[in-house]
């Protein structure tokens, strides 16, 4: 009897995995890519290329804002968003893109980071505009509040919150904990159980303190881990400096000539490079999914546009810098070491980094582990706010306890189905969020015109309200 039950369960799991694999492939296929990339382009145009203010955005990191509303500093909110966004996808995901779409996919991945800055700007602006205070006096915001209070469409807000809560436990917890445990076991033969215990304790120490505790850790942790990885990549490029120019030339040529890793018809290869690169870029920086906007809402800022500019710099660091560096490192390694095959994306990154004596493998392991840990911290806040929207503040403490337990489970479990299911819900988050961005584009233009185009970036929001009242 037991064997029959196990066999039926195995068959059900196999069918479910096949279904989720097909659904994930469709959701992350051309329809969503066109919708996301189209939104990026549309917002870039109507907002007059907000990417050009990147230097101004970075300067705002270091300006303390004395606004009354908000739980954390603008810089801390960005660090939480980056903690969630910068993960294994920035390392392994780039290798997968290169394997499937050839070196040209790296260019299209990079381009989504540039264009995605406009979408992240818009998400940050609306999240501040429509945020609210909960019963504990803390700020709550994000696409669910934009959909409810801005669009007056609560059912879409509920859908977004449900997808976010589910995706948080999958893509932001179980899969990340598992990736860290597998990498440590592979590199240093550390037992998954030891990793599970350590990571669970560290997670508990941080997230039980709430948003301010997460912000403090991320404000220190994220710049450190990103700097270490960037320095490591620059060192590898220094070692392989003779191949940097050829690698860049190869990436640019393949982006438009369609020389995919697997060969094939030129036209089809170009489309494969575009689809793969865009999908990886969107998955990496999450611009358009709406998750980062939840962190933006908690920031202390005198007007929505200041935080919008800060938020827009997220894809710049995540994709324009880190993903691009990873892509160039992998391409130089392939050119320098012909024995490296780029047909297996998951192994490509490990092979490329292992060719660098002494520092290659440790850099990769340290980066993967720290990136996954930071993702667990960032997504814990996103999931918490989504669940709070659905059920109220009474669910916060039970949620945090469940999140901590889930970290342990992720380290010691096999998660093929969870990866696929989380992939699907992650993609489904984008649809309600993109609808709100397009529907409220008039608000985006109005706010941007007043604060940014008319040089009122230092004005407080209540000053605008008073000015409008006087006109009326």
């Amino acid at each position: 009897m037991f064997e029959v039950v196990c066999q039926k369960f195995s068959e059900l799991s196999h069918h479910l995995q096949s279904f989720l694999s097909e659904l994930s492939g469709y959701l992350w296929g051309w329809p969503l890519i066109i919708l996301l990339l189209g939104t990026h382009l549309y917002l870039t145009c109507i907002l007059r290329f907000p990417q050009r203010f990147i230097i101004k955005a970075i300067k705002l990191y270091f300006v303390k804002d004395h606004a009354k509303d908000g739980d954390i500093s603008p810089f801390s909110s960005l660090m939480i968003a980056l903690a969630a966004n910068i993960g294994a996808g920035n390392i392994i995901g780039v290798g997968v893109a290169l394997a499937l779409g050839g070196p040209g996919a790296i260019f299209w991945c990079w381009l989504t980071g540039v264009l995605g800055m406009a979408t992240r700007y818009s998400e940050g602006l609306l999240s501040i505009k429509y945020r609210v205070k909960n019963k504990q006096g803390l700020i709550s915001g994000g696409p669910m509040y934009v959909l409810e209070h801005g669009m007056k469409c609560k059912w879409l807000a509920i859908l977004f919150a449900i997808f976010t809560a589910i995706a948080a436990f999958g893509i932001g917890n179980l899969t990340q904990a598992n990736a860290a445990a597998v990498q440590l076991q592979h590199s240093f033969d550390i037992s998954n159980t030891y990793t599970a215990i350590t990571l669970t304790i560290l997670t508990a120490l941080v997230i039980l303190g709430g948003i301010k505790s997460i912000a403090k850790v991320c404000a220190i942790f994220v710049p450190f881990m990103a700097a270490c990885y960037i320095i490591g990549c620059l060192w590898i490029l220094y070692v392989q400096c003779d191949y940097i120019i050829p690698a860049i030339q190869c990436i640019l040529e393949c982006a438009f000539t369609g020389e995919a890793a697997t060969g094939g018809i030129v036209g089809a290869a170009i489309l494969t490079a575009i689809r793969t690169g865009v999908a990886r870029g969107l998955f990496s920086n999450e611009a358009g999914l709406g998750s980062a906007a939840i962190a933006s809402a908690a920031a202390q800022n005198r007007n929505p546009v200041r935080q919008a500019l800060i938020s827009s710099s997220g894809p710049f660091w995540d994709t324009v810098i880190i993903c691009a560096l990873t892509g160039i490192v992998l391409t130089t390694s392939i050119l320098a070491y012909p024995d490296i095959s780029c047909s297996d994306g998951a192994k490509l990154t490990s092979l490329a980094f292992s060719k660098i004596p002494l520092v290659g493998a440790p850099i990769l392991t340290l980066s993967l582990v720290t990136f996954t840990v930071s993702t667990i911290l960032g997504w814990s806040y996103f999931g918490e706010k989504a669940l709070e929207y659905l059920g109220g503040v009474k669910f916060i403490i039970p949620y945090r306890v469940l999140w901590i337990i889930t970290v342990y489970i992720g380290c010691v479990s096999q998660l093929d189905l969870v990866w696929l299911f989380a992939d699907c819900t992650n993609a489904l988050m984008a649809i309600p969020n993109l609808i709100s961005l397009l529907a409220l584009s008039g608000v985006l233009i109005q706010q941007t015109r007043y604060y940014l185009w008319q040089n009122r970036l230092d004005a407080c929001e209540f000053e605008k309200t008073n000015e409008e009242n006087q006109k009326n």
Side-chain angles (χ1 to χ4, degrees):
M1 181 67 180
F2 179 74
E3 292 179 357
V4 173
V5 173
C6 289
Q7 184 179 357
K8 292 294 184 182
F9 181 78
S10 177
E11 291 176 358
L12 178 63
S13 297
H14 176 72
H15 290 308
L16 183 59
Q17 185 169 347
S18 298
F19 169 75
L20 290 175
S21 180
E22 291 182 9
L23 180 61
S24 176
Y26 175 77
L27 288 173
W28 284 104
W30 283 111
L32 182 59
I33 287 175
I34 291 171
L35 180 60
L36 276 163
L37 198 56
T39 302
H40 289 352
L41 286 167
Y42 174 70
L43 293 174
T44 295
C45 292
I46 68 168
L47 297 175
R48 302 179 186 175
F49 201 74
Q51 294 90 333
R52 60 196 168 101
F53 296 103
I54 182 61
I55 301 300
K56 186 183 291 290
I58 294 174
K59 288 180 179 179
L60 289 174
Y61 293 177
F62 310 102
V63 178
K64 188 173 179 61
D65 206 304
H66 299 284
K68 293 181 180 179
D69 292 330
D71 301 328
I72 55 177
S73 70
F75 179 75
S76 294
S77 74
L78 175 65
M79 291 302 102
I80 292 175
L82 283 176
N85 295 159
I86 300 176
N90 297 82
I91 303 175
I92 302 299
V94 175
V96 172
L98 197 155
L100 295 176
I106 296 169
F107 170 80
W108 297 107
C109 178
W110 176 84
L111 186 63
T112 63
V114 176
L115 296 176
M117 291 171 66
T119 301
R120 186 66 70 79
Y121 168 91
S122 303
E123 292 172 342
L125 192 157
L126 294 177
S127 70
I128 293 286
K129 179 71 177 174
Y130 295 106
R131 64 185 181 179
V132 300
K133 280 189 178 181
N134 62 22
K135 293 180 180 179
Q136 295 179 330
L138 299 175
I139 294 295
S140 295
M144 50 276 198
Y145 294 93
V146 174
L147 287 160
E148 180 180 353
H149 301 294
M151 277 188 61
K152 311 298 180 185
C153 192
K154 189 166 184 176
W155 70 272
L156 268 179
I158 292 173
L159 277 180
F160 177 86
I162 291 172
F163 294 143
T164 302
I166 295 173
F169 277 98
I171 207 71
N173 188 323
L174 286 165
T175 55
Q176 300 298 327
N178 185 260
V182 169
Q183 184 65 29
L184 287 172
Q185 184 181 44
H186 175 73
S187 299
F188 301 111
D189 198 27
I190 297 175
S191 168
N192 288 356
T193 303
Y194 292 148
T195 300
I197 293 172
T198 304
L199 189 54
T200 301
I201 292 172
L202 290 175
T203 303
L205 291 173
V206 177
I207 74 166
L208 287 177
I211 178 64
K212 292 185 178 180
S213 176
I214 296 173
K216 287 180 181 178
V217 173
C218 289
I220 298 172
F221 190 60
V222 173
F224 172 76
M225 72 172 191
C228 287
Y229 182 69
I230 290 172
I231 291 171
C233 286
L234 292 176
W235 170 251
I236 293 173
L237 291 177
Y238 172 75
V239 173
Q240 299 173 169
C241 60
D242 292 340
Y243 297 93
I244 294 177
I245 300 301
I248 294 174
Q249 290 175 340
C250 179
I251 290 169
L252 293 175
E253 288 175 4
C254 291
F256 301 99
T257 61
E259 185 184 334
T262 55
I265 301 173
V266 172
I270 293 175
L271 291 177
T272 300
I274 295 173
R275 179 188 177 279
T276 306
V278 171
R280 276 297 116 192
L282 296 173
F283 189 78
S284 170
N285 59 52
E286 298 180 16
L289 302 189
S291 53
I294 299 174
S296 297
Q300 298 165 337
N301 238 309
R302 66 189 72 177
N303 65 63
V305 171
R306 288 175 71 92
Q307 186 58 37
L309 286 173
I310 293 173
S311 299
S312 71
S313 65
F316 173 78
W317 298 115
D318 175 271
T319 306
V320 177
I321 300 297
I322 294 179
C323 283
L325 271 177
T326 303
I328 296 172
V329 165
L330 296 183
T331 307
T332 58
S333 297
I334 292 172
L335 294 176
Y337 306 100
D339 60 310
I340 293 180
S341 171
C342 60
S343 60
D344 188 340
K347 295 180 180 179
L348 173 59
T349 309
S350 297
L351 289 171
F353 276 75
S354 67
K355 292 293 184 179
I356 308 303
L358 299 177
V359 299
I363 287 173
L364 178 62
T365 300
L366 176 65
S367 299
L368 275 174
V369 172
T370 53
F371 283 11
T372 54
V373 171
S374 73
T375 301
I376 291 173
L377 297 180
W379 267 95
S380 70
Y381 181 69
F382 299 164
E384 177 180 311
K385 285 302 179 182
L387 197 62
E388 177 191 316
Y389 178 82
L390 294 170
V393 296
K394 61 181 178 291
F395 285 104
I396 291 178
I397 298 302
Y399 163 84
R400 292 175 184 172
V401 174
L402 179 60
W403 186 270
I404 293 165
I405 295 171
T406 305
V407 171
Y408 185 92
I409 295 172
C411 289
V412 297
S413 304
Q414 296 296 321
L415 302 172
D416 292 341
L417 281 176
V418 176
W419 269 106
L420 290 170
F421 191 65
D423 218 16
C424 294
T425 53
N426 205 222
L428 288 170
M429 288 171 59
I431 298 172
N433 180 57
L434 293 174
I435 291 173
S436 70
L437 293 175
L438 296 173
L440 297 172
S441 57
V443 176
L444 294 171
I445 294 172
Q446 178 193 45
Q447 294 280 311
T448 303
R449 178 186 295 114
Y450 182 87
Y451 290 111
L452 189 58
W453 299 342
Q454 297 179 359
N455 296 317
R456 294 191 181 98
L457 203 56
D458 293 327
C460 294
E461 193 166 19
F462 71 86
E463 292 177 1
K464 180 185 176 183
T465 302
N466 291 336
E467 186 176 317
E468 289 176 345
N469 289 337
Q470 290 173 4
K471 288 181 180 179
N472 296 330

